[in-house]
Each structure stands twice: as structure tokens, then as C-alpha cells.
Amino acid sequence: MVSIFNTYDALSDFAAQEIINTVQQNPKAVLCLAAGDTPRLAYKKMVALAHKNHLSFFGVTFIGLDEWVGIGPAIEGSCYHFLNELIFKPLSIKEEAIFFFNGMAANLQAECKRIDATIKELGPIDLTLVGIGINGHIGFNEPGIDPELGAHIVALDAVTANVGQKYFREKKQLTQGISLGMAQIMASGKVVLVANGLKKAAIISETMQGNISNAVPASFIRNHPNGMILLDKEAAAEL
Ligand code: F6R
């Protein structure tokens, strides 16, 4: 399903409500929420709705989608820091309910195994909410990725390493990421992709109108039985 909204605000309202609905339907939901600029407003709205409706997230589990390798959770710009500030802290989510990649771990393979095991035990994920990179990535599943992989370490695309600088105050060496795999994302009960702004128009056109293939990992969402693609008018400009 594709929905096109007149404004980023309206798109964010809808995405926020999707998360709330998931938790209302299943107070023990397992959520996987992307970091990044696109869902920022949706998360603020989601937290405001949760507070307004006294919705408890006590039973909810959060699985990390991805993280920058070499960037610690306390660093502004890490995916963990972003979600911690916007969601975990405001909703008083307990540490035990958060399963996130540690980008500073000495053994990154063990991190992948830990998250794979967590998903096996607690999953499948009920709702995964992703943004899209201008190269078509989902999480850090970069173009060319093997869609059967579980959690894995990624050599970041040059585009991702470049664009990723926007999250940090100082220039960072971004060469690797650690990410859930497409197979884990696709096994989620629902996958919501959000995109806004003209800078996403070309890749959204490729995602929606090109072949479904690992050349544009986001295109796989078209095959998901509960896949939702939420766009503002600008991101949908080339459809
Ligand atoms: C972040 C993530 C990335 C972003 C994507 C879009 O956790 O998984 O795939 O969703 O790069 O980023 P923004 O929303 O900043 O344009």
C-alpha cells in the first residue's frame, strides 16, 4: 500500500498512529524503529499520543535496526542515542526491554549473533518502521545486499558514509555499519517505510517503479503482505 500525504506533518501523524495502534493491539509488541531525520517528527507525535492516552509501553520490546560501527551509544548521532532521546527516555523504557547493536563491541559478529538470537526468541518483530537512503538502502542493507542475511556487518556505501555525516557534530569516520538483514525486516508483521522531501523523489520512483531487486533494497517492501509506503507530496513527485 502506498499513501501520499500533502505534508510531512500529516505523514508523521499517520506513522505515529501506526505505532500506537500496534501497541494498543498488542501491549507486548516487538518494535523495530529506524533512526534518522525522516521519522523524527513521527516519534515526537507518537510519544505525545502515548502520554495523552496514558498508553503503557511497559510490555513493549525494542530491537535496534542498525548502528554505526565505532560510534558509541552516548554519542549524539548514534542510532541508539537518537532513539534514546526521542523514545526510550520520554517513555521510560527499561534497559531490559531494549536490544540494540553496540557499535563499539570488540566482537561485532557476536553482536550479530546476540541480536539474531533475540529475534528468534522474542520475534518476529510486529512492526518495523524504516526510512530510505538516497541509494535505496533500508537499515544498512546497502544496494547489492544478500536479502537472505540476518544481522550482519556492512561495508558502508560511499553515499551512506557521506550523507551520514549530517547526524554528527564533528566529522566521523563512517566505514562500517551493523544492521538487521532484509530477511528479518521482511519477516516483520508489518513494515512501514517513510520518506519525505524532494531529495527522496528519485529513489522513491526507482523503489516503486523499478524491478524488485537487491539493487534497490527498499523495493522488497513491495512484496511484503503488510508493507506500507508513506510519502509526502515531494517524495512522491516522480511517481
Ligand atoms: C537509520 C537507518 C537509515 C535511515 C536512512 C534515511 O536507522 O536505518 O536507513 O533510515 O538512511 O535517513 P534519513 O531519514 O535521515 O533521511
Side-chain angles (χ1 to χ4, degrees):
M1 183 198 107
V2 184
S3 295
I4 299 170
F5 298 86
N6 276 330
T7 61
Y8 172 58
D9 194 73
L11 178 162
S12 303
D13 275 329
F14 191 95
Q17 194 61 56
E18 275 300 317
I19 304 171
I20 294 287
N21 291 349
T22 304
V23 175
Q24 274 173 336
Q25 281 158 20
N26 178 7
K28 292 191 169 168
V30 179
L31 304 180
C32 175
L33 306 177
D37 287 336
T38 315
R40 190 185 293 274
L41 183 59
Y43 296 160
K44 286 190 182 155
K45 287 175 179 282
M46 184 274 281
V47 166
L49 278 173
H51 285 153
K52 186 174 152 216
N53 299 327
H54 306 289
L55 178 65
S56 167
F57 274 63
F58 186 75
V60 173
T61 301
F62 289 85
I63 308 251
L65 175 63
D66 53 6
E67 190 54 279
W68 307 97
V69 167
I71 307 286
I75 304 222
E76 192 179 335
S78 72
C79 297
Y80 178 84
H81 186 275
F82 176 92
L83 291 169
N84 195 36
E85 293 301 316
L86 274 170
I87 297 181
F88 304 152
K89 276 195 205 164
L91 291 178
S92 309
I93 307 296
K94 293 175 290 142
E95 246 175 66
E96 306 88 84
I98 303 169
F99 297 88
F100 221 92
F101 293 110
N102 176 4
M104 293 293 280
N107 187 343
L108 294 171
Q109 282 299 350
E111 273 303 278
C112 293
K113 284 203 180 124
R114 180 175 68 84
I115 297 293
D116 281 345
T118 303
I119 294 182
K120 268 215 180 98
E121 191 193 330
L122 304 174
I125 296 162
D126 293 292
L127 171 70
T128 299
L129 187 144
V130 294
I132 178 171
I134 55 172
N135 64 354
H137 75 202
I138 292 293
F140 284 144
N141 289 276
E142 301 282 34
I145 191 68
D146 173 354
E148 301 303 326
L149 286 180
H152 60 282
I153 300 151
V154 187
L156 294 174
D157 208 84
V159 177
T160 303
N162 236 332
V163 174
Q165 296 296 334
K166 69 177 175 171
Y167 305 120
F168 300 95
R169 286 178 192 272
E170 291 155 16
K171 189 157 171 38
K172 295 279 178 201
Q173 275 283 75
L174 303 174
T175 52
Q176 285 185 305
I178 184 165
S179 180
L180 291 194
M182 280 313 303
Q184 290 160 321
I185 296 171
M186 291 297 283
S188 306
K190 188 178 256 191
V191 181
V192 175
L193 182 150
V194 287
N196 74 300
L198 272 180
K199 61 185 180 303
K200 297 286 170 75
I203 193 62
I204 286 296
S205 153
E206 275 188 62
T207 300
M208 303 303 300
Q209 291 161 169
N211 292 333
I212 297 179
S213 88
N214 66 354
V216 180
S219 64
F220 287 118
I221 294 177
R222 284 159 56 196
N223 278 340
H224 193 286
N226 276 318
M228 276 186 151
I229 298 182
L230 310 180
L231 310 171
D232 73 350
K233 266 196 314 212
E234 283 77 23
E238 293 184 27
L239 293 183

